[in-house]
Every structure is written in structure tokens, then in C-alpha cells.
Amino acid sequence: MKKFPFLAFEGLDGAGKTTLAELFAKQQNFDYYGSIPPELISLRKQIAATNSPISTFHFYSLCNILRSYEYRLKLNDLGVVADRYVFSTFAYHSLLMKQDLSSYLHILQSEQNFLLPDVIVYVTASQSTINQRITQRSQKVPMQWYGDKVSLEYNLDESYKRIFSLVNIPIVQIDTTNSNPEQAYSNLCCELYKIKDTIPILKTISFNID
């Protein structure tokens, strides 16, 4: 039986999702997980090189399934922070593939062993802020056609909200436009504190609310 919270951090590239997820995991002594299991990392470049949305969709769907089994085991010992999960896969690829992927998400939900999070932390920022952050980052790391460029060229916020509407999971939205990581972390703790009575497992979190 699950004993610790599972939080999935979702959001556009450049919103500050990874920074906040890593900080939260560190402060709360949760295990932090990226979207790709170590055994599949070597395949990422090959999959990306295909320039095929259906290939990346199947790749990240497999990553989500493998991570789900890992999370289910880990939650007996520690809380889990997932930096992207199934919601990102469907939000991005429904745009890239120009296809309604709702039925695929319903299939995953019907699988009893597929673990959904207790809370989705949806990290956002203004489009101009995201554009600026991605531009700065691209000077060091090339843009991904299935990641950064989608954040710049598509209405991902609408796509995310459409995917979120398909699941019955509390969503905490954190806007990082005018916040540094510490402020965003504090805001997140405040928002989680507000819903802790409706999600008892969250009471294991140290909120540090004055």
C-alpha cells in the first residue's frame, strides 16, 4: 500500500518546472525522477533523430509505464516527484500528431497497475518569459523539435488543460513569471497546505507555513 505522496510536475519548457521539482524534492527529501528511465536514455537521441511524432509518442508512453512501476515500489519508502509524466506526453503529442489521444489515456487509466499522482503541479509562466528562457537556454543546448519548439509555436496551455480535464486529480498551478525558485517553492507549499485536508497523504509534507 502506498504510504507517501506522489506529485507530478508538468508544464511548458521554460516555465521553471524542473527547477521547482528538483527544489521541492530536495527540501522534502523526496525521490526525484526525470521522465526517462536510465535504461532508455541511450535511445532518446535515436528516437529524436527520426523526427517522427509517433515514434516519440510511443517512446515516452513506454517511459511512463516503466516509471509507473518504479513509483509504485518507491512510494513504500519515500515520496516521489516526477518531472513530467503521462500528461506531458499527451499534451505535447496531441498537438504534434494533430490527433485526439484521449482514448489512449483512458486505456492507461483502466490498467490497475498504472499509477496516477496524488497531485499535479502545473508550472506556468507568461509566454514572453518562456520565450526568453528558451532562447537563453538554446545558446547552450539545441532546441528539441518535440519539446522547446512546441512550447514556442503551439498553444500548449490549452492542450494541457484538455488533458487534465480527463482525470480526477487535484491540480496546483504555480506561475513563475515573477518568482525566483525559493518564492515558487514557498507558493507551492502554501497551495498544497490549502488542500491537505482533502488529500490526507499530503499531511506527511513539511509545509513550513508561518
Side-chain angles (χ1 to χ4, degrees):
M1 180 179 289
K2 186 171 64 171
K3 300 177 182 177
F4 294 92
F6 170 23
L7 281 71
F9 283 67
E10 300 283 6
L12 281 66
D13 292 270
K17 167 187 52 58
T18 296
T19 300
L20 182 56
E22 289 178 337
L23 180 58
F24 184 86
K26 179 180 178 181
Q27 294 291 338
Q28 297 293 333
N29 192 33
F30 280 23
D31 268 2
Y32 167 89
Y33 289 86
S35 58
I36 305 174
E39 59 268 30
L40 295 183
I41 287 177
S42 62
L43 290 177
R44 178 169 57 178
K45 287 186 178 180
Q46 297 177 56
I47 295 294
T50 66
N51 288 313
S52 166
I54 194 168
S55 295
T56 55
F57 174 66
H58 288 304
F59 175 72
Y60 281 100
S61 294
L62 174 60
C63 291
N64 292 325
I65 292 170
L66 293 177
R67 282 303 201 197
S68 171
Y69 289 120
E70 288 184 79
Y71 300 157
R72 186 175 289 279
L73 293 173
K74 177 55 66 176
L75 284 167
N76 289 318
D77 304 308
L78 284 174
V80 164
V81 164
D83 183 354
R84 291 203 186 284
Y85 197 38
V86 62
F87 313 103
S88 282
T89 300
F90 285 88
Y92 276 73
H93 285 88
S94 61
L95 295 174
L96 284 168
M97 296 167 65
K98 297 179 174 61
Q99 182 178 344
D100 182 358
L101 300 174
S102 302
S103 60
Y104 293 93
L105 182 57
H106 290 312
I107 291 172
L108 281 180
Q109 288 182 268
S110 69
E111 169 53 49
Q112 286 187 333
N113 290 322
F114 188 80
L115 189 66
L116 290 172
D118 299 297
V119 176
I120 297 169
V121 179
Y122 182 42
V123 186
T124 64
S126 68
Q127 191 62 52
S128 60
T129 299
I130 286 173
N131 294 352
Q132 182 181 27
R133 290 173 180 171
I134 290 177
T135 300
Q136 290 175 343
R137 187 168 65 190
S138 67
Q139 295 173 2
K140 299 179 180 179
V141 181
M143 285 190 189
Q144 298 171 332
W145 62 266
Y146 57 90
D148 294 338
K149 289 188 177 180
V150 181
S151 294
L152 294 175
E153 298 172 5
Y154 291 84
N155 188 342
L156 261 170
D157 182 63
E158 181 178 308
S159 185
Y160 263 116
K161 289 177 179 177
R162 185 167 57 250
I163 298 302
F164 292 156
S165 71
L166 301 175
V167 295
N168 185 26
I169 300 172
I171 299 168
V172 172
Q173 184 166 333
I174 303 296
D175 190 321
T176 68
T177 302
N178 298 308
S179 300
N180 61 37
E182 290 71 24
Q183 291 169 330
Y185 170 75
S186 179
N187 292 339
L188 174 56
C189 286
C190 287
E191 294 303 314
L192 291 174
Y193 182 81
K194 292 177 184 177
I195 62 173
K196 67 179 177 61
D197 290 333
T198 60
I199 310 174
I201 201 167
L202 293 183
K203 294 180 180 179
T204 61
I205 291 175
S206 300
F207 295 103
N208 297 322
I209 304 295
D210 296 329

